[in-house]
């Protein structure tokens, strides 16, 4: 049975973890991860992520430990992988629930001091942004500048959007047909296209035949009011059944 690591709640430094434990707050620190990896001894490890992030340095350490692990690392984003947690999610093969989200943004901090302190802090944050962006770039193959631009915008992504960017490897619970639907603009577009195709297959009412049928009915004679096109009817039935299957 694979070993399991939970990345939940706040990602904190080893020295701060006791505070969260004292107050009963959910948190994870690098030592928690190292302990499981040490016990696993190269066996497969599952990493379950639902975290809003935390310390950029603790997140970096966890990411490095996962990347350096000799065994198989399978990451699953169950709810949220935001900020430092999104960096951790880059540390192995990553699958993501279709209801989950990833958020990446710039590193932030607070500081007090004069203008020199502010200038120094600004430069430190820029450096930290580049180091974090490298995790996204390594995972996805995107250019570092693209990752930095996404961080500047505080980018939130669905599972499919993250997969399209190469930040995850799989969207959970989606079969190949559903994957195609999501990749081509979503379910609503698929339903619209199916409805258009269905409409196109319906035999067209002939105005003259309608008048003829109306007059025939007045005389007590039953006549069809549509063209007798069995092939079109068959196509319409097939489209209708496919449409129902998609809706279900």
């Amino acid at each position: 049975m694979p070993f399991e690591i939970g990345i939940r709640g706040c990602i904190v430094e080893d020295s701060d973890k006791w505070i969260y434990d004292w107050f009963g707050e959910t948190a994870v620190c690098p030592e928690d991860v190292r302990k499981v990896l040490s016990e696993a001894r190269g066996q497969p490890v599952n990493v379950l992520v639902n975290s809003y992030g935390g310390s950029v340095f603790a997140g970096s350490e966890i990411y490095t430990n996962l990347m350096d692990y000799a065994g198989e690392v399978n990451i699953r984003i169950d709810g949220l992988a935001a900020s430092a947690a999104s960096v951790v999610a880059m540390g192995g093969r990553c699958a993501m629930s279709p209801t989950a989200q990833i958020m990446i943004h710039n590193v932030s901090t607070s500081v007090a001091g004069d203008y020199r302190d502010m200038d120094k802090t600004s430069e430190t944050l820029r450096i930290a942004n580049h180091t974090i962006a490298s995790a996204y770039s390594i995972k996805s193959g995107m250019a570092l500048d693209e990752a930095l631009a996404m961080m500047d915008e505080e980018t939130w992504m669905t599972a499919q959007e993250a997969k399209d960017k190469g930040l995850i490897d799989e969207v959970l619970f989606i079969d190949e047909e559903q994957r195609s639907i999501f990749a081509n603009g979503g379910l609503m577009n698929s339903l619209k296209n199916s409805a258009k195709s269905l409409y196109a297959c319906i035999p067209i009412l002939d105005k003259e035949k309608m008048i003829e049928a109306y007059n025939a009915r007045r005389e007590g004679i039953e006549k069809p009011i549509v063209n007798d096109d069995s092939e079109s009817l068959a196509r319409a039935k097939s489209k209708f059944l496919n449409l129902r299957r998609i809706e279900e």
Side-chain angles (χ1 to χ4, degrees):
M1 181 177 179
F3 286 76
E4 187 173 293
I5 297 172
I7 306 296
R8 298 188 177 93
C10 191
I11 298 173
V12 300
E13 303 289 343
D14 291 338
S15 59
D16 294 335
K17 178 69 185 310
W18 71 272
I19 302 174
Y20 289 81
D21 292 340
W22 178 272
F23 286 101
E25 295 292 330
T26 303
V28 61
C29 67
E31 179 59 29
D32 295 332
V33 175
R34 287 195 300 271
K35 181 179 179 180
V36 177
L37 294 179
S38 178
E39 293 173 354
R41 297 179 179 273
Q43 298 182 63
V45 172
N46 293 336
V47 182
L48 310 181
V49 181
N50 184 20
S51 169
Y52 52 83
S55 166
V56 62
F57 299 114
S60 174
E61 186 174 353
I62 293 172
Y63 165 81
T64 303
N65 289 332
L66 294 176
M67 290 289 285
D68 193 48
Y69 182 62
E72 180 180 310
V73 176
N74 296 304
I75 299 171
R76 189 181 78 190
I77 302 174
D78 295 334
L80 175 64
S83 193
S86 70
V87 176
V88 172
M90 303 297 108
R93 187 184 189 282
C94 186
M96 185 172 172
S97 169
T99 60
Q101 295 184 62
I102 284 183
M103 186 275 280
I104 67 175
H105 66 173
N106 288 334
V107 177
S108 63
T109 189
S110 58
V111 66
D114 64 17
Y115 71 91
R116 294 167 298 177
D117 298 307
M118 301 303 170
D119 290 343
K120 183 62 177 178
T121 300
S122 176
E123 182 59 27
T124 300
L125 291 176
R126 289 180 184 276
I127 293 172
N129 282 341
H130 277 75
T131 62
I132 294 305
S134 66
Y136 306 130
S137 179
I138 291 170
K139 176 65 178 180
S140 67
M142 71 173 66
L144 193 65
D145 286 345
E146 181 181 355
L148 288 168
M150 292 175 65
M151 291 167 64
D152 278 342
E153 296 299 321
E154 186 179 293
T155 303
W156 291 76
M157 287 167 280
T158 64
Q160 187 59 49
E161 288 169 340
K163 186 175 185 303
D164 292 342
K165 287 289 186 181
L167 295 172
I168 66 168
D169 302 286
E170 177 189 358
V171 180
L172 294 170
F173 321 127
I174 304 294
D175 61 29
E176 288 304 318
E177 182 176 354
Q178 291 170 318
R179 200 182 313 279
S180 176
I181 289 173
F182 277 96
N184 289 308
L187 181 60
M188 288 306 298
N189 284 343
S190 176
L191 291 175
K192 288 178 182 178
N193 292 335
S194 296
K196 289 177 181 178
S197 298
L198 173 61
Y199 179 78
C201 289
I202 298 175
I204 301 173
L205 296 178
D206 189 313
K207 182 177 179 181
E208 293 183 359
K209 287 186 177 293
M210 289 180 66
I211 296 174
E212 181 183 345
Y214 174 75
N215 292 331
R217 284 179 183 276
R218 291 183 61 186
E219 299 171 3
I221 304 173
E222 294 292 334
K223 285 191 176 183
I225 62 172
V226 298
N227 293 325
D228 183 14
D229 190 341
S230 58
E231 184 179 347
S232 294
L233 288 173
R235 289 201 306 271
K237 181 179 179 181
S238 175
K239 290 290 183 179
F240 176 71
L241 292 176
N242 288 337
L243 182 59
R244 284 191 60 189
R245 180 167 53 81
I246 291 173
E247 288 177 325
E248 293 169 354

